[in-house]
Amino acid sequence: ILFDNLKLRGVDIHRKYLIYILIFCFTTTILLLWEVGEYFVDATFGTDHMDSKATGVNDTLTDLIIGMVGAV
């Protein structure tokens, strides 16, 4: 149904996979920003909702943040 509507608007139907990839990338970016936000809340207020001390999430999120900063 989505691509039938897009075809009516003049969007080439052959680009549907590109649209899927862009939707996936956008969703993944939003999820990453959400997790980084949770990390900063935990670090700022001294809470541990993510159980980062026991699971090693702290190191992973630090690597992700450094990677995002480096990309900018």
Side-chain angles (χ1 to χ4, degrees):
I1 296 174
L2 173 68
F3 292 112
D4 290 337
N5 292 336
L6 289 175
K7 188 174 182 180
L8 293 175
R9 294 183 194 162
V11 175
D12 187 12
I13 194 71
H14 299 293
R15 296 180 189 224
K16 68 180 181 179
Y17 294 112
L18 177 62
I19 293 171
Y20 285 141
I21 291 170
L22 291 175
I23 291 171
F24 175 78
C25 290
F26 178 75
T27 305
T28 304
T29 301
I30 295 299
L31 292 172
L32 174 66
L33 293 174
W34 180 266
E35 291 300 322
V36 169
E38 282 185 345
Y39 173 74
F40 280 126
V41 168
D42 282 348
T44 302
F45 297 112
T47 58
D48 194 18
H49 293 112
M50 296 175 65
D51 198 24
S52 60
K53 294 179 178 117
T55 59
V57 172
N58 187 26
D59 182 53
T60 302
L61 282 173
T62 303
D63 292 343
L64 288 172
I65 292 167
I66 290 171
M68 287 190 311
V69 170
V72 172

